[in-house]
Amino acid sequence: MAGYDRAQFATFVWAGQGMLAVILLWGRPELAERIRTGDVASDLLRPVHPVTSYLATDLGRAGWACVSRLLPPVLVGPLFFDVHLPARWSTVPLFVVSATVAVVLCFGCRFLVNATAYWLQDVRGPQILWTLGSGVLAGLYFPLPFLPDGLFLALQLATPFPSLLQTPLDVLVERDPTGAQVALVGVQVGWAAAILALCRLVQRRAERRLVVQGG
């Protein structure tokens, strides 16, 4: 169904559960809290740009999540289900690249959601919208190829959401030929670069209006 066989579906589900913790689709609004309390002022005194600093921290978190949260379901799944094992040598390194880009992209999206606190103070509204929308549009609740082809293609090219979870999992289960997989990872890289650039732009604009109590 939708280009998947039974083994690919099983792999999609088990690896998807592990990937959810790696990319951290729904993280704590730490940056928003620091903005609300004024603690973010200390971030601006550091010699490293806030986006770079928070990204480095998130990459470290993702590295540990690969060991503690991704490996267990990947190892346990084959004990109960027939899973899809990569048939092409390029799949594993391409998946590693795709998953890494997904972590960077998801960080950027979360950063933008949290950065709305510079203007709103209370980010519960944007946070709820992100929680509801990202799970559906990233492919967490169902594989996005279940959607009509035109809608699926539009989501892939016009939004960053499929690049968060759907693309890395499609690369892992080898749903598409190698050339198509490389193109999908290229789309991921493009979205990650655009979102990180937007993060820096938003941060620069926010610093011009930031008011911290007491100074």
Side-chain angles (χ1 to χ4, degrees), residues 12 20 23 25 130 132-144 155 159-169:
F12 191 100
L20 180 61
I23 66 172
L25 200 59
W130 167 255
L132 294 176
S134 60
V136 175
L137 299 178
L140 174 64
Y141 301 136
F142 60 89
L144 295 180
L155 286 174
T159 75
F161 295 105
S163 295
L164 297 174
L165 195 61
Q166 181 70 47
T167 296
L169 294 177

Side-chain angles (χ1 to χ4, degrees), residues 74-138:
V74 169
L75 296 177
V76 171
L79 300 178
F80 302 95
F81 297 91
D82 292 329
V83 298
H84 177 83
L85 298 178
R88 301 191 291 259
W89 68 267
S90 60
T91 295
V92 173
L94 194 60
F95 171 71
V96 172
V97 173
S98 180
T100 303
V101 176
V103 171
V104 174
L105 177 57
C106 193
F107 158 79
C109 292
R110 295 196 318 274
F111 186 94
L112 292 176
V113 172
N114 280 265
T116 60
Y118 283 116
W119 289 268
L120 302 178
Q121 295 298 314
D122 189 343
V123 298
R124 283 177 293 182
Q127 196 77 29
I128 290 173
L129 289 176
W130 167 255
T131 300
L132 294 176
S134 60
V136 175
L137 299 178

Side-chain angles (χ1 to χ4, degrees), residues 34-41 121 210-215:
R34 292 180 66 81
I35 294 171
R36 186 183 63 81
T37 60
D39 291 340
V40 71
Q121 295 298 314
L210 178 64
V211 176
V212 178
Q213 292 182 349

Side-chain angles (χ1 to χ4, degrees), residues 140-156:
L140 174 64
Y141 301 136
F142 60 89
L144 295 180
F146 283 9
L147 299 172
D149 292 342
L151 179 57
F152 175 44
L153 183 61
L155 286 174
Q156 274 193 318

